[in-house]
Amino acid sequence: MIPSRRSFLLGAAAMGSSVLTPDVAEATRLLTAQDAAADWGLVTRDLEGDVAPHRLTRIHGRAPAGLEGALYRNGPARFRRPGGSAEHWFDGDGLIRRFSISDGEATLAARFADTPKRRQETRLDAMVMPGFGTPADPRAEIGSNDDANAANTSVLRVGDDVWALWEGGSPMAMDADTLETKGFVTLRDDLKGMPFLAHPRVEPDGRIWNLGMNGAQAIVWRLAADGTLETASVIPLPRASYIHDFTATARHLVIVLQPWVQVRRTLPFSAAFDWQAGTGTRVLVLDKDNLDSRRLFDLPDFGFFHLGDAWEEADGTIRFDVCAHADMRFAATGATELLNGVPIGGEPARLALVVLSPDGSARLERTTVVAEFPRSDPRRAGQTRRFSLHTAGEAPDRPFATAIGLHDWSTGQAHQYDFGPHQVVEEMVVVPKPGQNAEDAAWLVGPTINLKTRTTELHVLDMARLSDGPVASWSSHTALPAGFHGIWAS
């Protein structure tokens, strides 16, 4: 089925609703009233502008020989303006970071995606665009969903560009070296502005699969490694679940339909969903070569943002990891409270393995491991693997990670390195060691926010010796707000 732009464009309903701006003075009071919350304010601080390229200061160890490349990361970095502020952590302006490691030295540069949203809000000196949890302001000028596109969630390296991704609209192309904004990517003229999720799945040969969501239907995108569109099809879904991520084996797409379901057309986006307890989580499996070939599996209730890469065993059993939440309260309200400096409480996500059997049965194998942002060896995408890398250390009274963890599904062993209570640990990526094929023959690369020194740090750890901690660390002269997702490009 050929998708139509009209059915996927941002609806006009609720565009005229008034924006509910946070009381900045009260938020500041709440932040300063609690030491922990005051420190956490660095996580959602506002940057006034781009961060010029600069060399990082090495504070521990040395860069491993052969580790050369760049870590690109994306996340919101401007939430508040005098004339109105964002109401949700997911709605800040996208800042693309480039951590480069070369000849044993590390550098950092960061630039905001130059989106129509950012340009309009700069002119008004107010955050007016609707978003995931931010209502529309009457001043917002919206002709398509890309006018509200924050380009703030993830990144994808395509040729000489980095695409800044946001789940409700087009990718934004940026120069991989300078981070200069080039403009929105139109994959086909009649598909301009169509949704493109922030979690594409990339096969080992570079082929790209992705979804674009609109209620109980989805676009399935298939792109060549150079970003050229190969196919785009619309598929029906059993229900209009919130889908932030999907996964894939070598032969199948796997779409998890949680019981947080869109039941109304309204803005902000999060207000359109209700948690339908007791209805279960469903898993839709599609054949990549024939999207009409589908199987549906049933699981108990759980919510989620992120899935790990799936794999299929010789007998047809499909397995994949998920960071499972009891519900989606954090998405609905918690991230708003966090942005305003209010402790949110609630249980963190825990690592689980979904097992889909050839006979149509399914089970959720839960662990006690606190985990978010699952990653694995990119060379094994869609193939059998042992390890899941993840952040760890979140607690009901601390919504940010302090540790990086590694779970071995073959043995059940969990390994961890804790950076301590004064560090906020962001997602890390797996970088295979040159010329080595073992799954744990890899470096783990990622940033933390040091709450004591008020700086962003970059760390390299040895995957096979995770508990030993960083083999090399560098520090910036400033603290960037927390990013969401990233990739490594050699």
Side-chain angles (χ1 to χ4, degrees):
M1 179 180 177
I2 302 299
S4 113
R5 286 186 67 243
R6 179 172 299 175
S7 65
F8 274 81
L9 290 178
L10 210 68
M15 286 297 185
S17 61
S18 60
V19 65
L20 301 176
T21 61
D23 184 332
V24 176
E26 175 63 7
T28 302
R29 187 192 67 77
L30 287 166
L31 287 171
T32 56
Q34 304 172 55
D35 290 340
D39 287 338
W40 296 344
L42 290 174
V43 178
T44 59
R45 64 172 293 218
D46 289 303
L47 287 189
E48 296 300 318
D50 300 338
V51 178
H54 62 281
R55 179 175 292 184
L56 302 182
T57 301
R58 182 161 50 87
I59 55 177
H60 171 75
R62 294 186 179 278
L67 181 63
E68 302 272 336
L71 172 68
Y72 296 92
R73 287 186 54 74
N74 193 357
R78 183 67 187 267
F79 307 93
R80 307 164 187 91
R81 294 180 183 272
S85 300
E87 277 287 296
H88 197 284
W89 188 19
F90 301 170
D91 293 335
D93 290 338
L95 181 81
I96 290 73
R97 297 91 158 150
R98 185 180 190 271
F99 296 89
S100 179
I101 300 177
S102 180
D103 295 328
E105 301 292 341
T107 59
L108 169 63
R111 295 184 74 168
F112 282 98
D114 185 20
T115 61
K117 170 190 183 296
R118 181 168 169 80
R119 290 196 298 272
Q120 186 178 152
E121 292 176 336
T122 298
R123 174 171 53 83
L124 295 172
D125 206 13
M127 307 292 276
V128 298
M129 286 296 176
F132 188 91
T134 301
D137 185 287
R139 294 169 288 178
E141 301 169 6
I142 304 174
S144 76
N145 38 346
D146 277 339
D147 288 328
N149 191 332
N152 69 357
T153 310
S154 189
V155 285
L156 178 68
R157 181 67 187 263
V158 181
D160 294 330
D161 294 338
V162 171
W163 289 3
L165 305 179
W166 180 71
E167 62 191 32
S170 305
M172 174 66 83
M174 304 179 72
D175 185 276
D177 292 326
T178 67
L179 301 182
E180 179 183 2
T181 298
K182 295 184 174 181
F184 287 123
V185 176
T186 298
L187 294 170
R188 200 171 71 201
D189 287 346
D190 62 321
L191 302 179
K192 184 177 181 180
M194 300 281 267
F196 191 87
L197 283 187
H199 287 283
R201 293 288 165 176
V202 182
E203 296 180 344
D205 66 0
R207 173 173 278 170
I208 301 162
W209 292 86
N210 206 0
L211 302 179
M213 305 311 304
N214 181 42
Q217 61 178 341
I219 309 172
V220 177
W221 301 99
R222 193 184 78 197
L223 283 63
D226 66 358
T228 302
L229 179 64
E230 294 181 340
T231 63
S233 305
V234 166
I235 61 167
L237 300 174
R239 65 183 178 192
S241 295
Y242 173 64
I243 296 175
H244 175 73
D245 193 6
F246 73 106
T247 188
T249 71
R251 299 191 304 125
H252 296 97
L253 304 178
V254 181
I255 303 173
V256 181
L257 303 162
Q258 61 184 315
W260 200 39
V261 180
Q262 186 174 2
V263 296
R264 61 189 70 87
R265 287 280 184 177
T266 189
L267 290 173
F269 186 62
S270 60
F273 291 80
D274 286 345
W275 181 259
Q276 299 182 345
T279 60
T281 293
R282 313 193 78 185
V283 183
L284 177 64
V285 176
L286 305 175
D287 190 313
K288 287 181 175 178
D289 293 330
N290 178 10
L291 298 179
D292 292 327
S293 176
R294 53 175 51 202
R295 292 176 288 161
L296 198 59
F297 299 82
D298 291 304
L299 290 167
D301 290 358
F302 67 84
F304 78 99
F305 288 106
H306 302 118
L307 308 170
D309 282 313
W311 70 92
E312 185 172 0
E313 297 173 349
D315 67 353
T317 300
I318 293 174
R319 301 177 188 268
F320 61 92
D321 46 326
V322 57
C323 296
H325 292 259
D327 53 40
M328 293 300 282
R329 293 179 190 175
F330 181 80
T333 60
T336 292
E337 295 168 355
L338 182 151
L339 183 61
N340 290 336
V342 180
I344 61 173
E347 284 296 319
R350 298 185 186 273
L351 192 64
L353 189 71
V354 174
V355 182
L356 309 178
S357 299
D359 65 3
S361 63
R363 66 182 186 273
L364 182 68
E365 298 179 353
R366 296 181 183 270
T367 76
T368 60
V369 176
V370 172
E372 252 299 356
F373 300 109
R375 300 298 296 258
S376 57
D377 183 346
R379 298 171 302 178
R380 290 172 167 78
Q383 302 174 10
T384 304
R385 60 180 172 85
R386 289 174 54 192
F387 296 109
S388 292
L389 177 70
H390 57 85
T391 59
E394 298 95 331
D397 59 349
R398 184 191 167 99
F400 302 111
T402 63
I404 191 76
L406 187 69
H407 194 81
D408 187 338
W409 293 107
S410 66
T411 65
Q413 290 184 315
H415 307 274
Q416 183 171 293
Y417 178 77
D418 198 312
F419 285 81
H422 296 289
Q423 293 268 16
V424 171
V425 176
E426 300 185 44
E427 173 201 70
M428 294 194 178
V429 299
V430 178
V431 182
K433 295 179 180 178
Q436 300 189 45
N437 295 318
E439 190 175 347
D440 61 354
W443 304 113
L444 309 179
V445 183
T448 65
I449 303 172
N450 190 318
L451 303 179
K452 276 190 172 180
T453 62
R454 303 181 68 85
T455 58
T456 287
E457 296 178 354
L458 178 68
H459 305 280
V460 178
L461 297 88
D462 190 328
M463 186 170 175
R465 303 175 62 88
L466 176 65
S467 59
D468 291 348
V471 299
S473 299
W474 296 266
S475 178
S476 177
H477 56 66
T478 189
L480 302 183
F484 290 149
H485 300 291
I487 56 168
W488 177 266
S490 299

